[in-house]
Amino acid sequence: MTVVIGFEGSANKIGVGIIRDGEVLSNPRRTYITPPGQGFLPGETAKHHRGVILTVLQEALDEAGLKAADIDCVAYTKGPGMGAPLVTVAIVARTVAQLWGKPLLGVNHCIGHIEMGRLITNAQNPTVLYVSGGNTQVIAYSERRYRIFGETIDIAVGNCLDRFARVIKISNDPSPGYNIEQMAKKGTKYIELPYTVKGMDVSFSGILSYIEDAAHKLLSASQCSPEDLCFSLQETVFAMLVEITERAMAHCGSQEVLIVGGVGCNLRLQEMMGVMCKERGARLFATDESFCIDNGAMIAQAGWEMFRSGQVTELSDSWITQRYRTDEVEVTWRD
Amino acid sequence: MPLSIGSLTKHVNMAACMTENGSERKLEFFLKVPFPSEREATIALQSLSPDPEPRKGGITKNLDLSGQTLSVRWTADEARILRVSVSSFLDHLCLVMETMDVFGPPVSQ
């Protein structure tokens, strides 16, 4: 029996989760939400996390009904992500690991998403679309690495959505992406936007510039509604993601797709991906918002896999890093 | 007895001074933090030392352990750079001490 506690705080969510042999015992989380029109900055995000992390940690233990002695390993997000919040969370993880006399494990955030997706959905060997505010990658497992088949060459799709939400001052509660999704359902007019797939990769910064500009012009001339813009943006960027996912599937001969990351909560994206999968006779896997969105249990799960395959992080090597490629990690727990 | 945040200001000695080092004028800042035991001081050191300074140039920071006391020494080219680094460090130090308060004391080895 192996019990791992995982700490996650690379962006504006701070979560602590506990997993025992594939069972999620607890997964509390808090989100730092900024006023409409504002994004979250590293220093303020770190301050938010500092203020709640010990409470969330205690909640995780209480909900799981466990004591420190019951934990076998302390996992935390080594990277990638925002520097200040990552440091805050790593410091607490290091401290409790030492207080409790438990080994420490630095986990790659992207791999946390993948391993949680695999655990919850039981997908065997999927083509993974990892889409969030900070990351956009198409990933497939091959020979001890999660290989990146395609990715954004500039900003993440979630970043594009979040920054557009700021332009039209949509609420960030519970998340800008969720509110864009709700508004998009009411959109009726399709505004043509640039479509920027670059081979296996995608680009979003041009679309963002274009739609920011278009929003000002069209809204002030009452030629369309904010709902129409939300609808058009989603249709465009999601179609791009479906295209590069399909391209990777064709390369790998894959019959499974797994969507992970906060943008993976979006039901329209799941619907569009589902259409493509059905055409190819492939299966689509997705998780609900407790696991799509950054959470502690996903770090615990990746930590569980790493720990059981013999990995451990020395304290002197436990520094956080804002850049951490998914394929840098040796996936020792899979053949 | 764990060291609480309230007693932090009483026990910490801080000194900031400007020193001339040839033609260079670097600011120096010293911080000494006593802990209830050597073990806790070591835990704090190991929690606070792994991450590199975000800013590459214009600041150095050295942590040292002497018995139960953690000491930190900064040198910086400019006061504003020094302020940011020291301020961040103190936030992190408070977090370590609070964590020790709530989840300590350390288990016997």
Side-chain angles (χ1 to χ4, degrees), chain A residues 50 53-54 57-58 61 84 87-92 94-96 98-101 315-320, chain B residues 39-40 42-44 46-52 88 91-92 95-96 98-100 102-107:
Chain A
R50 275 199 307 273
I53 187 171
L54 297 181
L57 168 54
Q58 190 62 60
L61 290 166
V87 170
T88 296
V89 174
I91 281 175
V92 173
R94 289 177 198 132
T95 305
V96 296
Q98 293 177 82
L99 287 171
W100 301 342
L315 278 157
S316 50
D317 292 329
S318 68
W319 37 267
I320 59 94
Chain B
R39 175 99 190 280
E40 276 153 300
T42 307
I43 290 176
Q46 304 219 81
S47 292
L48 294 164
S49 54
D51 304 302
S88 292
D91 285 335
H92 296 149
L95 184 57
V96 169
E98 227 185 300
T99 307
M100 286 183 180
V102 177
F103 294 99
V107 298

Side-chain angles (χ1 to χ4, degrees), chain A residues 262-297:
Chain A
V263 181
C265 294
N266 190 299
L267 295 175
R268 180 58 187 145
L269 173 60
Q270 290 181 25
E271 187 182 27
M272 289 168 76
M273 194 70 73
V275 169
M276 180 274 283
C277 285
K278 193 167 169 204
E279 288 170 0
R280 296 182 69 87
R283 280 187 73 185
L284 174 63
F285 296 90
T287 60
D288 74 26
E289 49 98 29
S290 27
F291 301 114
C292 261
I293 297 176
D294 291 348
N295 61 93

